[in-house]
Amino acid sequence: TDLPRSPPAAAEPRHASPAAPRRLREKLRTAARVAGPPARTAPGSRQQVRGGERRTEPATGAPPPARETRAPFRFDYERFRRSLRHPVRGGRPGEDPETRARRMKIKEMMKFAWDNYKQYALGKNELRPLTKNGHIGNMFGGLRGATVVDALDTLYIMELEEEFQEAKKWVEKSFDLNVNGEASLFEVNIRYIGGLLAAYYLTGEEVFKSKALELGEKLLPAFNTPTGIPRGVINLGRQDTRSLFSPCSGMSWSWGWASAGSSILAEFGTLHLEFLHLSELSGNPVMNIRKVLNRVEKPQGLYPNFLSPVTGNWVQHHVSIGGLGDSFYEYLVKSWLMSDKKDSEAKKMYDDALEAIEKHLVKKSAGGLTYIAEWRGGVLDHKMGHLACFSGGMIALGAEHTREERKQHYVDLAAEITNTCHESYARSDTKLGPEAFRFDAGTEAMATRLSERYYILRPEVVESYMYMWRLTHDPKYRQWGWEVVKALEKHCRVEAGFSGIRDVYATTPTHDNMQQSFFLAETLKYLYLLFCEDDVLSLDDWVFNTEAHPLPVNHTNFKA
């Protein structure tokens, strides 16, 4: 079965003016056709939405009506590359042999994962390494090659040149966007849009930019709601732009399991970084999400996980920094960083949210472990999911840029949470962490339910190790990362790739026969960067989306 990042609301009628998405659609199409790459304006800047000029086709033989024309946006890629403060792959100064050997081991793991995917599953979304075949799944609406797109930037950064060219060739020759199926807006955005944008910014290859623009256009009908809050599911094949009200055109709906037709905080809150790049191509932003979130009252200052895209009100009061909520908070602080610290609205939302989280959700166990509980209508559930373990890195990243008197406090909090997540690994037989762990009935940092014992090659713990290393240079984070490498090699590496395991507490675990695409996009990338110098994908120049795809910090405006 597919396991979406946030666990995958009865469908509601679609009744919003389609004007803004339609205008953006037209401009994205134009931008995708012009030879030059996209222009970028300052992330976080708010531009006026242009009036909805209706375009009519001239009668056959008649001259086209005169209308104001604007030069297409163009992006000066060479100027952008010169603006980076560090070489993308770093300067590679002298380093100790052990660190280099460990990095080379992780590079070998990436090559092994890619080679087996290429041999047995190229063009499918993910590799099934035990049965040596491909898996398509139902999250991507008929799109193929999720592992290819997710792996592009990792292959590039690791200097696996031949493998990168193989992936690029597949995108050029075989990546078909003319598909018909139900897709997760969130997963397509973070994996495909994020992966293509990152590959473009790293290499300047036009094919990645044009594919990102074309696919971005197909996601726009999800925003056709009264509030502008998108629904979670979009049919990529129903794109009749003449009538967005048609029941068979660009249909979107909410997840069937989501409460009362609601949208999911982690899903609609994890679009800003990627859509900023797409929106700027047209000068016509489509997203209205922050305006709604600033208006609606937050219980105790917290953001619940379910919001109605029709009314803009919370549907129920379940708050989680793990699944359903996680990357919303991450994208607030990263939006501010990507704007070169100009998007003050995002920073204030992040600061206020973190203050409420610390006040109501951060707890310390009897054994001294700091964790972030979940909140259900005022009642705390003392569990923490693997997905929530990204928060150590997020808080450390935010701490680097907070008021001096609070900086050390947040660095300490980040270190404590990261240590708790490390304990969830250290206390298992495999030295890999469970999907969720609890702090109740005398248990600390361990799964107490059979349904929470699995590990599916998730990256969040090593993600926090990477950020904590870069921001503190405490050698324990590299040591902890190396322990993960050894555990992956011992328990997850099989003859034809890497597989998740069903029980981290079993001394001889059984495999789930799935090499997740995010293992190549995130887990191996973060481990590799942990053993790189800080100037490789420097945090001065790049912000990672929630699939670990690097998007550039906007140091200046690159309109040609």
Side-chain angles (χ1 to χ4, degrees):
T1 58
D2 293 309
L3 292 161
R5 209 70 42 92
S6 293
E12 298 169 336
R14 300 163 59 255
H15 25 214
S17 167
R22 183 182 297 152
R23 289 195 299 273
L24 181 56
R25 181 194 313 279
E26 291 166 352
K27 295 181 182 185
L28 282 176
R29 281 180 173 160
T30 301
R33 285 194 297 266
V34 300
R40 300 167 65 247
T41 57
S45 62
R46 305 186 72 78
Q47 300 161 307
Q48 284 292 322
V49 175
R50 301 195 184 319
E53 65 268 12
R54 293 190 62 81
R55 302 187 178 185
T56 55
E57 294 296 321
T60 305
R67 68 169 182 246
E68 180 184 352
T69 59
R70 290 188 298 148
F73 283 106
R74 290 185 183 275
F75 181 87
D76 187 335
Y77 184 81
E78 292 306 316
R79 187 175 167 220
F80 155 68
R81 285 301 292 257
R82 289 195 302 271
S83 80
L84 295 176
R85 295 169 184 173
H86 304 275
V88 171
R89 291 164 169 165
R92 294 291 162 82
E95 58 185 343
D96 69 276
E98 182 182 72
T99 299
R100 185 182 187 280
R102 290 181 172 186
R103 188 174 68 248
M104 290 301 100
K105 174 58 187 173
I106 297 160
K107 178 176 178 177
E108 183 276 330
M109 293 166 71
M110 178 67 184
K111 179 171 169 51
F112 181 74
W114 170 262
D115 286 347
N116 280 285
Y117 167 77
K118 182 185 71 172
Q119 180 173 353
Y120 297 114
L122 183 64
K124 301 296 195 299
N125 284 323
E126 286 158 322
L127 165 68
R128 289 192 178 276
L130 298 185
T131 49
K132 299 181 181 179
N133 60 351
H135 172 72
I136 293 174
N138 56 15
M139 283 194 295
F140 305 120
L143 293 174
R144 300 290 189 266
T147 292
V148 178
V149 178
D150 251 354
L152 280 164
D153 51 15
T154 310
L155 294 170
Y156 181 81
I157 290 302
M158 291 186 182
E159 300 181 55
L160 288 164
E161 306 291 357
E162 181 181 334
E163 292 79 4
F164 175 80
Q165 291 301 324
E166 292 166 353
K168 177 190 166 191
K169 181 179 178 182
W170 186 89
V171 172
E172 288 176 324
K173 306 293 185 187
S174 305
F175 186 33
D176 183 11
L177 299 183
N178 295 312
V179 297
N180 188 348
E182 302 169 8
S184 162
L185 172 68
F186 169 77
E187 295 288 351
V188 169
N189 176 62
I190 67 171
R191 301 197 202 203
Y192 287 94
I193 299 290
L196 291 165
L197 286 171
Y200 169 66
Y201 284 119
L202 290 171
T203 68
E205 296 282 359
E206 288 292 313
V207 63
F208 301 132
K209 182 197 68 175
S210 62
K211 292 287 188 182
L213 289 167
E214 186 181 348
L215 181 56
E217 175 193 328
K218 288 176 170 287
L219 301 180
L220 295 178
F223 293 86
N224 290 331
T225 67
T227 60
I229 298 287
R231 294 189 172 90
V233 187
I234 177 79
N235 189 313
L236 296 177
R238 296 178 175 177
Q239 302 289 330
D240 178 1
T241 60
R242 292 168 299 176
S243 174
L244 286 173
F245 290 118
S246 164
C248 63
S249 61
M251 287 181 64
S252 68
W253 53 93
S254 299
W255 291 108
W257 50 263
S259 187
S262 56
S263 295
I264 311 302
L265 181 68
E267 298 195 344
F268 67 74
T270 309
L271 301 167
H272 187 82
L273 301 184
E274 299 84 1
F275 268 77
L276 194 61
H277 291 275
L278 300 179
S279 294
E280 284 165 358
L281 302 181
S282 68
N284 189 6
V286 65
M287 296 175 64
N288 193 28
I289 289 168
R290 286 208 204 139
K291 183 177 177 182
V292 175
L293 291 175
N294 278 331
R295 174 187 60 77
V296 66
E297 182 180 352
K298 271 78 72 179
Q300 312 292 326
L302 298 166
Y303 289 86
N305 291 336
F306 299 97
L307 186 91
S308 168
V310 174
T311 67
N313 295 321
W314 305 117
V315 174
Q316 59 172 248
H317 289 180
H318 172 218
V319 177
S320 169
I321 312 304
L324 303 177
D326 48 11
S327 44
F328 164 72
Y329 305 96
E330 173 191 356
Y331 270 39
L332 290 177
V333 70
K334 288 182 175 179
S335 294
W336 179 68
L337 292 171
M338 197 172 80
S339 74
D340 213 11
K341 304 172 192 170
K342 295 180 179 70
D343 186 354
S344 56
E345 179 184 50
K347 181 64 161 59
K348 184 179 187 319
M349 290 175 72
Y350 170 77
D351 288 342
D352 291 348
L354 184 57
E355 187 176 327
I357 288 165
E358 189 171 10
K359 180 178 180 181
H360 298 288
L361 303 182
V362 173
K363 300 296 174 185
K364 193 173 285 269
S365 72
L369 297 179
T370 300
Y371 63 98
I372 304 178
E374 297 189 4
W375 190 82
R376 300 177 187 275
V379 178
L380 286 180
D381 184 4
H382 296 272
K383 84 165 191 178
M384 193 168 171
H386 195 293
L387 290 165
C389 283
F390 83 97
S391 58
M394 176 190 74
I395 294 168
L397 192 60
E400 190 73 358
H401 307 280
T402 197
R403 303 188 311 273
E404 197 59 39
E405 66 271 17
R406 297 290 286 167
K407 180 175 179 178
Q408 191 59 49
H409 168 77
Y410 285 125
V411 170
D412 292 344
L413 177 60
E416 291 172 14
I417 291 170
T418 304
N419 177 67
T420 297
C421 292
H422 170 256
E423 285 297 314
S424 78
Y425 277 52
R427 298 181 185 197
S428 80
D429 294 73
T430 58
K431 306 306 176 188
L432 295 167
E435 181 70 2
F437 47 93
R438 295 180 179 268
F439 300 85
D440 53 26
T443 296
E444 295 196 0
M446 294 185 69
T448 58
R449 303 179 185 183
L450 287 174
S451 61
E452 297 172 343
R453 290 172 167 242
Y454 62 88
Y455 172 72
I456 56 171
L457 307 176
R458 287 205 189 274
E460 291 78 19
V461 173
V462 296
E463 175 183 355
S464 284
Y465 293 170
M466 189 278 291
Y467 281 113
M468 293 303 296
W469 163 256
R470 288 222 172 165
L471 298 169
T472 71
H473 292 125
D474 186 327
K476 72 182 180 185
Y477 296 113
R478 279 185 164 173
Q479 186 55 40
W480 291 353
W482 188 244
E483 291 169 6
V484 175
V485 170
K486 292 190 293 185
L488 288 168
E489 284 284 288
K490 182 176 181 180
H491 299 293
C492 299
R493 185 164 180 151
V494 294
E495 181 186 350
F498 288 88
S499 170
I501 57 177
R502 300 188 186 279
D503 186 352
V504 297
Y505 303 107
T507 51
T508 53
T510 57
H511 295 96
D512 66 7
N513 194 27
M514 183 68 73
Q515 181 176 281
Q516 304 279 352
S517 79
F518 56 72
F519 180 66
L520 291 80
E522 300 183 74
T523 312
L524 292 175
K525 184 187 287 118
Y526 284 132
L527 284 167
Y528 183 82
L529 293 174
L530 178 60
F531 292 96
C532 285
E533 296 301 310
D534 292 357
D535 60 354
V536 181
L537 285 180
S538 167
L539 299 181
D540 291 338
D541 288 325
W542 303 92
V543 168
F544 294 96
N545 88 336
T546 201
E547 190 81 3
H549 295 307
L551 299 173
V553 172
N554 187 45
H555 294 310
T556 184
N557 190 326
F558 301 105
K559 182 179 178 183

